[in-house]
Amino acid sequence: MTSSTEKLTNTATAPESLTAEYLPLGQKRIIPESEHQIPRQRLDDNAMKVVYRLHDAGYDSFLVGGCIRDLLLGEKPKDFDVATSAHPEEAVELFHRGRLIGRRFKLLHVRFGRELIEVATFRAGHDSEDNDDGEQGRQAASGLILRDNVYGTIEEDALRRDFTVNALYYCAKDYSIYDFANGYPDLQKKIIRMIGDPEQRFREDPVRMLRAARFAAKLGFEIDAETAKPIHQLSSLLARIAPARLFDESLKLLQSGYGAAAFRQMQRFDLFRYLFPLTHAQLDDSEWPTATLVQHVLKNTDRRLEQGKSVTPAFMFAALLWYPLYERYLQLLDDEDMPPLQALHEAANQVLSAQVKATAIPRRFSAPMREIWELQLRLPRYHGKRAEQLITHPRFRAAYDLILLRESSGEDLKGLGKWWTDYQQANDSQRHGMQRNSATDEQPQKRRRKRRKPITRSHD
Ligand code: ATP
Ligand code: MG
């Protein structure tokens, strides 16, 4: 962290003039470089090239949004976005690596190797990513914005953004920041505040409720009381959002390094149920260790990301849905008298088809999810030569991790996790011995006829 960010994250030492004064919405405040102290070398070279090219062609252009917020907090921005007065068709002319995308509103993508800079024309009105029904600026009776392709001024562009801290513009001409919505003082006070009337803005785009929870978790900020107030009551509007968009949001919430905190924020506003309805339904059921498993999965994911390890949506979704799946599996075994693997496949079908109504899971993730689930039945049967084969399965590692998580959530798997831990650490001859011993332990699998009792929680 630089000294400037220490200053910014510590309200006690923040300049009096900036924290005390809130200007009317839309009124410009200029924060000079001497004040905000973002080191110039932290600005992305490619994004600056784009900004300067637009300037040289006579257009206004700024770095905007999350990147400026994150730079002020001393964090590394995920990506850099540019806002400009140039219309997309004008802007695209300036870049040979530029490509126009989007039907509802056009954006320019400028590619530099693996880096992509997104250039958007200043717009009036508000965002809703969800609908595409042909008209400009139409609004449904519910308040949901159906289409919005109206270009506007920089002030209008600032006011259609969601939260004040997301509406800061960096001017590359004099290195100052333009603030039209009191984002700068809110950032110093660590407040997530909706621009404009919170209820109206949440109705326009209910995903903003998830975004409020996400930024509070990611930044460790408080959600302003007026902004927080309508969320609980409006939460059911999330049921109308396209499942593909909710899938994307669920990854941003739960797989970006602050999943445990994001879950707490979602629970506070009762939002998690719209992303994971089946999991949510089990959270308060003392028969299932679901609540503990969810905590452990999310903490684990956060820890892995912190250590620079990879994470995959397939594992997270497989884990979060494991107990809903297992509950159905047991029902099918009992009620339909199905063989175990068939019951598992049927339960997987049922759980996935319910889940994709909330969050659309692409097949490249749902296929490995099924494998991870199936391996939960196969890993306990490591006898004879099976262990050797199982360990080479492409999903072995994920399935083993889920076994460990289930055990740490209070499920008694009779030392299964430890057996596999030992097996992985053993050399060839030790493995041989482990398999021989286990072969003699093998019990013929007897089908149970009577109704199974769900797993009872044996955790805190
Ligand atoms: P992250 O670090 O997660 O990328 P971000 O603030 O950059 O955070 P994005 O989703 O990349 O978030 O969006 C970029 C900017 O676009 C936001 O900072 C905000 O100004 C605006 N924006 C995005 N989604 C919405 C929305 N649903 N409603 C209003 N403004 C939005
Ligand atoms: Mg962003």
Side-chain angles (χ1 to χ4, degrees), residues 65-66 69-70 78-79 81 127 160-162 166 201 205 208 211 214-215 218 245 252:
R69 177 199 68 215
D70 292 347
K78 232 171 47 192
D79 41 38
D81 293 328
D127 258 358
R160 60 106 190 154
R161 291 175 187 273
D162 47 7
N166 284 349
R201 304 292 320 275
D205 181 4
R208 289 173 185 150
R211 289 175 60 87
R214 178 157 80 84
F215 292 122
K218 169 178 164 141
R245 190 173 175 208
K252 289 189 199 170

Side-chain angles (χ1 to χ4, degrees), residues 72-229:
L72 284 170
L73 294 169
E75 302 289 331
K76 189 172 158 39
K78 232 171 47 192
D79 41 38
F80 283 79
D81 293 328
V82 172
T84 178
S85 60
H87 286 196
E89 292 76 10
E90 296 168 328
V92 74
E93 295 292 312
L94 304 174
F95 302 94
H96 31 257
R97 282 166 299 192
R99 210 164 67 84
L100 288 183
I101 59 139
R103 281 186 304 156
R104 197 168 66 79
F105 47 78
K106 288 205 176 81
L107 292 172
L108 170 64
H109 276 179
V110 186
R111 190 165 277 289
F112 296 88
R114 288 173 60 198
E115 193 183 6
L116 190 72
I117 306 294
E118 196 170 278
V119 182
T121 304
F122 296 146
R123 290 204 303 276
H126 310 279
D127 258 358
S128 156
E129 323 274 309
D130 230 20
N131 293 277
D132 193 353
D133 68 351
E135 278 179 59
Q136 291 207 344
R138 206 160 76 84
Q139 196 160 4
S142 64
L144 194 80
I145 297 270
L146 295 180
R147 185 172 168 86
D148 166 27
N149 206 358
V150 188
Y151 297 131
T153 61
I154 185 170
E155 288 85 354
E156 289 168 320
D157 190 72
L159 300 189
R160 60 106 190 154
R161 291 175 187 273
D162 47 7
F163 305 108
T164 62
V165 294
N166 284 349
L168 294 165
Y169 294 72
Y170 189 93
C171 172
K173 271 199 284 204
D174 61 5
Y175 305 101
S176 65
I177 287 176
Y178 292 4
D179 180 4
F180 301 91
N182 297 307
Y184 196 75
D186 280 345
L187 190 109
Q188 290 173 311
K189 293 184 186 169
K190 301 179 170 235
I191 293 175
I192 301 295
R193 187 195 311 276
M194 182 65 90
I195 298 173
D197 176 56
E199 175 167 347
Q200 184 192 338
R201 304 292 320 275
F202 286 130
R203 284 187 184 280
E204 282 166 9
D205 181 4
V207 170
R208 289 173 185 150
M209 294 186 269
L210 291 170
R211 289 175 60 87
R214 178 157 80 84
F215 292 122
K218 169 178 164 141
L219 308 172
F221 281 22
E222 280 296 318
I223 301 175
D224 157 66
E226 290 295 303
T227 299
K229 202 159 75 184

Side-chain angles (χ1 to χ4, degrees), residues 268-289:
R268 178 179 157 206
F269 297 108
D270 200 18
L271 303 177
F272 182 70
R273 64 165 75 222
Y274 299 101
L275 299 182
F276 290 92
L278 303 179
T279 312
H280 177 266
Q282 272 185 347
L283 285 179
D284 292 327
D285 184 343
S286 60
E287 305 281 7
W288 297 97

Side-chain angles (χ1 to χ4, degrees), residues 282-325:
Q282 272 185 347
L283 285 179
D284 292 327
D285 184 343
S286 60
E287 305 281 7
W288 297 97
T290 313
T292 314
L293 183 91
V294 169
Q295 296 289 345
H296 289 193
V297 172
L298 297 177
K299 277 193 200 142
N300 238 27
T301 305
D302 290 350
R303 200 174 320 121
R304 285 185 68 90
L305 287 165
E306 204 180 301
Q307 295 166 345
K309 293 186 185 161
S310 65
V311 295
T312 151
F315 177 75
M316 190 185 65
F317 274 77
L320 293 181
L321 291 167
W322 167 251
Y323 287 120
L325 173 95

Side-chain angles (χ1 to χ4, degrees), residues 342-395:
Q342 193 190 336
L344 188 95
H345 292 159
E346 177 55 28
N349 289 342
Q350 290 182 12
V351 163
L352 282 169
S353 69
Q355 178 64 31
V356 297
K357 292 192 181 113
T359 66
I361 304 173
R363 201 170 297 277
R364 69 178 184 283
F365 300 129
S366 59
M369 282 169 69
R370 289 173 190 274
E371 292 179 318
I372 293 168
W373 288 335
E374 189 181 317
L375 284 171
Q376 300 305 296
L377 294 196
R378 292 175 60 198
L379 288 193
R381 314 194 60 197
Y382 45 65
H383 323 283
K385 289 231 172 288
R386 288 197 191 117
E388 267 171 63
Q389 288 158 4
L390 284 168
I391 205 168
T392 64
H393 193 288
R395 308 295 162 217

